Amino acid sequence: MTTLAEEVVRTFGSPSLMIDLDRVDRNIARLQAACEAAGLANRPHIKTHKSPDLARRQREAGARGLTCQTLGEAEVMAEAGLTDILISYNLLGAEKLGRLTGLLRRTALTVSADHPAVVAGLAEAADAAGRDLDVVVECDTGRGRAGVATPGEAVALARRIAAAPSLRFAGLLLYPPDDGPAETQRFLDAAQEGLRGEGIAAGIVSTGGTPNLRHLGEIQGATEHRSGTSIFNDRMMMACGAATLDECALDVVTTVVSRATPTRGVLDAGSKTLTADPGGGLDGYGLIRECPQARIHKLAEEHGFLDLSGAAAGLEVGTVVRVVPNHVCVVVNMADRLVATRGGRIVGEIPVTARGRR
């Protein structure tokens, strides 16, 4: 009897990315319910799926808006008729600011900034578009990534935004560290106090991260949450306790193409499919559903090297397997399409429309 994975390979080739729409729908509903229970608006991050079709499913389930990490993603979503878009990344340079002007002429946007030079460019783009632009200040509350480093800097930048004729200060953008919200709460409280002293209101306080769903509602004053990976989930989300294997909705369908020795094999999915992202110290580069004891211990571009020394059963040449990737967001960005399944049957394909769009 042919398995679903074998049918995918026969129809679409190996390797392919396969999604289970039943699981996708459950994941979308679970996120929406969690946000509603915490009294937060749901603004899912489309960087994971990069698909207007899936973004539309999220909006229809109750999401207030969408988050994009790149201007190109926002352009794709807007072209598909989706609105209320937040771009959570600094936009710099004449090329991107020109594109921002064009996009702003077509739809209202919210963008983030963490530096006066970014704010100056945003003001120029909004002036050229003849339309006000909402701006949130990105704050680093302990993760050590982008964002202003102190509440005082957040207040100063908010004041600069509010003073620009073509800009509106919309609020604060946070990505709390995974180890708890206490540090973020202290930063937020101090920033809010400073804003009140300036007579400035933060209408949006946006938190983010699928791992932070376990802390949803703990940060007082938050108004919305941005979660991307939760639509598909992956090994990283399993490792941090944010998902179970049954909640992983995307598999890389791949074939064993070589068995040189009893303990060594090769998949036709390498770093150009599975990604070389170690996933924060995970063992290997994916979990094989059919044989969890087998380790994908090394990758070349088109080779996934199998260590079968601990596997109870051998994976012979021609065997088709399903791999849960370490980091699904990177995997999706390397594919042109997702093979959609439901109820154990192939029901179509979904283009990854925004892949590679910067």
Side-chain angles (χ1 to χ4, degrees):
M1 182 176 178
T2 303
T3 67
L4 178 59
E6 289 169 339
E7 183 65 24
V8 168
V9 166
R10 186 165 66 183
T11 306
F12 295 96
S14 179
S16 288
L17 302 191
M18 176 178 74
I19 62 170
D20 182 332
L21 288 177
D22 293 320
R23 287 177 174 170
V24 167
D25 288 344
R26 288 196 297 268
N27 290 344
I28 289 173
R30 187 179 301 111
L31 174 62
Q32 186 65 37
C35 288
E36 290 176 1
L40 298 172
N42 177 21
R43 188 184 290 277
H45 208 317
I46 66 90
K47 71 180 179 65
T48 299
H49 57 74
K50 294 179 176 286
S51 161
D53 294 337
L54 294 174
R56 196 168 288 111
R57 286 174 183 268
Q58 292 172 313
R59 290 299 302 269
E60 290 171 353
R64 186 183 75 179
L66 302 173
T67 307
C68 296
Q69 196 72 351
T70 72
L71 182 58
E73 290 174 351
E75 288 168 334
V76 168
M77 296 300 132
E79 287 163 9
L82 292 156
T83 58
D84 199 349
I85 296 169
L86 164 66
I87 303 175
S88 56
Y89 203 85
N90 285 341
L91 299 177
L92 285 162
E95 188 270 341
K96 284 188 177 176
L97 292 175
R99 287 164 56 199
L100 177 62
T101 295
L103 183 57
L104 189 56
R105 284 174 178 152
R106 302 197 304 272
T107 186
L109 294 168
T110 303
V111 299
S112 69
D114 72 356
H115 193 276
V118 178
V119 172
L122 297 177
E124 291 176 8
D127 284 339
R131 184 174 193 167
D132 288 347
L133 175 62
D134 289 333
V135 183
V136 292
V137 173
E138 183 172 7
C139 304
D140 174 20
T141 65
R143 185 169 288 272
R145 205 168 69 168
V148 296
T150 68
E153 289 176 279
V155 174
L157 199 59
R159 188 167 55 238
R160 183 182 292 265
I161 293 165
S166 56
L167 302 181
R168 288 190 296 246
F169 171 68
L172 304 172
L173 184 86
L174 317 173
Y175 189 12
D178 298 344
D179 56 358
E183 188 175 355
T184 297
Q185 189 70 65
R186 287 192 292 271
F187 189 111
L188 176 59
D189 290 346
Q192 291 281 45
E193 182 178 0
L195 290 172
R196 285 192 294 270
E198 296 286 341
I200 302 173
I204 296 171
V205 177
S206 182
T207 61
T210 294
N212 280 322
L213 290 175
R214 65 184 184 272
H215 299 302
L216 213 58
E218 293 182 25
I219 297 176
Q220 300 303 306
T223 65
E224 67 176 32
H225 192 78
R226 313 177 313 278
S227 171
T229 311
S230 57
I231 190 171
F232 293 147
N233 292 309
D234 54 23
R235 287 186 78 205
M236 289 199 301
M237 295 306 102
M238 291 171 59
C240 75
T244 65
L245 180 59
D246 187 58
E247 291 165 347
C248 291
L250 182 145
D251 293 318
V252 177
V253 180
T254 176
T255 305
V256 179
V257 293
S258 177
R259 282 295 307 274
T261 75
T263 60
R264 188 172 83 233
V266 175
L267 298 173
D268 63 358
S271 63
K272 288 182 176 177
T273 303
L274 288 172
T275 154
D277 191 331
L282 292 171
D283 182 24
Y285 295 95
L287 173 68
I288 300 175
R289 288 186 187 264
E290 289 79 5
C291 190
Q293 303 86 0
R295 294 178 60 248
I296 307 172
H297 71 98
K298 185 173 68 172
L299 299 176
E301 290 179 60
E302 306 293 351
H303 297 71
F305 295 90
L306 296 173
D307 175 3
L308 301 174
S309 58
L315 298 174
E316 301 304 323
V317 170
T319 303
V320 175
V321 296
R322 299 165 297 159
V323 178
V324 179
N326 286 1
H327 190 179
V328 70
C329 307
V330 184
V331 167
V332 170
N333 192 51
M334 294 189 287
D336 291 320
R337 68 185 172 206
L338 307 174
V339 180
T341 71
R342 189 183 290 282
R345 298 178 57 190
I346 297 171
V347 295
E349 54 185 291
I350 297 175
V352 185
T353 312
R355 75 165 293 218
R357 294 286 294 268
R358 306 307 304 168

